[in-house]
Amino acid sequence: MEGMEVDYSSFSADTPEPEKSPLGAKHPRPGGRGHAVPFTGPFVSVLLSRLENMLENSVHVNLLLTGILAQLAAYPQPLLRSFLLNTNMVFQPSVRSLYQVLASVKNQIEDLTESRKDFPGMITAAQHWLLARESSLGAADSAKGGAGAIVSEGSKVNASPQPKGVVSLANTEVFATVLFTEFLKELAAIAQEHSILSYIPMEE
């Protein structure tokens, strides 16, 4: 991910490394001493950490983050699905869930809304710009026809015009708020789809 240079060694525990489950449950090796801190792994940890800072991220980074997490949540793997979408699961203190991160972002947005009177108007302007951007990108893709050209999300963002009026791309917290709202809707739709598919009997 662009701009994400992370020292993965900083996530490891100082104690002897045990065998861990994907959710960070600790399973000490026979004869091992000490207890390692439960850990979800660097990939998930980095995603959740960047998501918690989404008010400071650019539109491009937030689109990548929410897109990756949405694809992971939609993946039909029970353990991964429960970790990302089940709000009733209880984890060790060192393991942060997606629900906890989303709650943290929500609190940040509420604090920002209370401190800035112009925030609602800027949100509306950002929504209009993102809708216009989506429409222009869709029209461009349709115009290509069957060319089969693939344009990266980064190229699409860079090719988008700068928003005019009361909001600019420098106001990352405004665009992050809009994307956060849409991300919650997408997660809700994914959770609903999982619940429906769980009642459909598998074909023999």
Side-chain angles (χ1 to χ4, degrees):
M1 189 176 298
E2 183 179 347
M4 291 182 61
E5 297 181 359
V6 180
D7 180 11
Y8 292 123
S9 63
S10 63
F11 292 101
S12 60
D14 295 332
T15 53
E17 182 179 351
E19 297 177 359
K20 298 186 286 291
S21 71
L23 289 185
K26 50 189 178 182
H27 300 289
R29 293 172 178 167
R33 296 181 179 179
H35 298 280
V37 177
F39 181 49
T40 56
F43 179 65
V44 173
S45 295
V46 168
L47 286 178
L48 296 182
S49 176
R50 291 304 294 260
L51 183 67
E52 191 166 16
N53 294 325
M54 71 181 303
L55 295 186
E56 302 172 4
N57 297 335
S58 66
V59 175
H60 173 63
V61 171
N62 282 333
L63 285 171
L64 287 174
L65 277 172
T66 54
I68 291 172
L69 286 167
Q71 290 186 52
L72 289 175
Y75 192 74
Q77 208 285 337
L79 190 62
L80 182 61
R81 180 182 67 219
S82 296
F83 175 68
L84 293 176
L85 298 177
N86 189 344
T87 59
N88 294 323
M89 293 191 69
V90 179
F91 301 102
Q92 295 288 338
S94 60
V95 177
R96 301 206 67 193
S97 67
L98 176 60
Y99 178 76
Q100 290 174 316
V101 172
L102 292 176
S104 174
V105 176
K106 179 187 75 71
N107 292 335
Q108 295 176 43
I109 292 174
E110 289 178 347
D111 293 340
L112 192 61
T113 303
E114 294 177 357
S115 62
R116 297 182 58 174
K117 295 182 180 180
D118 60 341
F119 204 66
M122 297 178 72
I123 290 294
T124 301
Q127 289 173 331
H128 290 166
W129 181 82
L130 288 170
L131 286 173
R133 171 188 173 277
E134 195 67 26
S135 298
S136 64
L137 292 176
D141 290 340
S142 299
K144 292 176 183 177
I150 299 177
V151 180
S152 66
E153 185 61 41
S155 300
K156 290 182 178 182
V157 172
N158 293 334
S160 302
Q162 290 288 324
K164 299 178 181 179
V166 297
V167 65
S168 71
L169 289 177
N171 293 308
T172 56
E173 67 279 1
V174 177
F175 288 94
T177 300
V178 178
L179 293 177
F180 177 75
T181 303
E182 296 303 316
F183 182 48
L184 293 182
K185 295 177 183 177
E186 187 168 9
L187 288 179
I190 292 172
Q192 181 69 19
E193 182 178 2
H194 279 309
S195 65
I196 293 175
L197 291 176
S198 65
Y199 288 99
I200 298 179
M202 298 181 64
E203 296 182 1
E204 297 184 358

